[in-house]
Amino acid sequence: EKTSHPENGMFSISDESGILKILSEFQDYLPPLKNGEYRKSAAEKLSKYACCILLRKDYVNVGFAAIYANDKETKTGFIPFIAVSEHFRKRNYGTLLLDTLIRIAKDNQMEVYKSNTNAQIFYLKNGYQYLTDGDNDSVFMIKKIDYSK
């Protein structure tokens, strides 16, 4: 489906309706988003507090990711969503999205839900290590980042 976004590239999305549209499109890859009320609430929260990015190729939405500072004091980054369309997997688009979020965050610690084992495996493959258990149902993962690059 063609949208107002150009053909290729990575784009920031900040308006709630645009984020809601993308969350709806990627709901099959992010199970909590199948609940319409949760999806609407997530779009509202992301539009206020997160940096959301959309990756496009040949007018097709390839992937979507978001990050925000979950704890303003420690500036721990939280990635609530990162998804790549099934047709574009195994082509490093997920890693491209993650690397972009890292550059945006300029931080090296992530909080991940314990139940999200796919995300933990993805982060481990991309150089993160377990740091400690977080509050509630989360773990902290850390990656050494060379800021001189």
Side-chain angles (χ1 to χ4, degrees):
E1 170 187 341
K2 291 187 179 184
T3 67
S4 60
H5 290 291
E7 177 181 359
N8 294 313
M10 197 153 324
F11 307 94
S12 177
I13 303 173
S14 57
D15 64 292
E16 186 177 338
S17 63
I19 293 170
L20 181 59
K21 182 177 178 181
I22 297 301
L23 293 179
S24 296
E25 182 177 338
F26 283 92
Q27 69 179 326
D28 288 342
Y29 312 115
L30 302 163
L33 295 176
K34 289 185 183 270
N35 177 308
E37 286 301 312
Y38 177 83
R39 192 169 53 245
K40 187 169 176 18
S41 171
E44 179 182 3
K45 185 176 181 182
L46 291 173
S47 71
K48 290 180 182 176
Y49 305 111
C51 178
C52 302
I53 54 175
L54 173 66
L55 177 61
R56 294 179 55 78
K57 180 172 175 44
D58 300 326
Y59 293 104
V60 175
N61 294 337
V62 171
F64 170 79
I67 189 167
Y68 63 90
N70 202 28
D71 183 332
K72 301 291 185 193
E73 189 173 308
T74 64
K75 296 184 179 159
T76 299
F78 181 72
I79 299 176
F81 304 109
I82 185 167
V84 174
S85 175
E86 197 166 357
H87 302 294
F88 293 96
R89 291 187 181 172
K90 306 285 187 206
R91 299 185 201 174
N92 291 321
Y93 290 118
T95 299
L96 177 62
L97 286 166
L98 180 61
D99 289 346
T100 302
L101 294 181
I102 289 169
R103 283 194 306 278
I104 290 167
K106 293 190 166 91
D107 201 344
N108 63 354
Q109 190 171 308
M110 278 307 147
E111 185 176 9
V112 183
Y113 287 117
K114 286 180 183 175
S115 60
N116 194 345
T117 55
N118 286 338
Q120 291 177 41
I121 291 167
F122 175 73
Y123 295 135
L124 287 168
K125 283 195 228 177
N126 283 280
Y128 280 80
Q129 299 174 332
Y130 288 105
L131 181 63
T132 185
D133 283 342
D135 293 337
N136 301 319
D137 186 32
S138 66
V139 294
F140 286 99
M141 300 180 80
I142 191 165
K143 178 178 181 175
K144 304 279 188 212
I145 299 173
D146 182 358
Y147 290 106
S148 65
K149 292 182 179 180

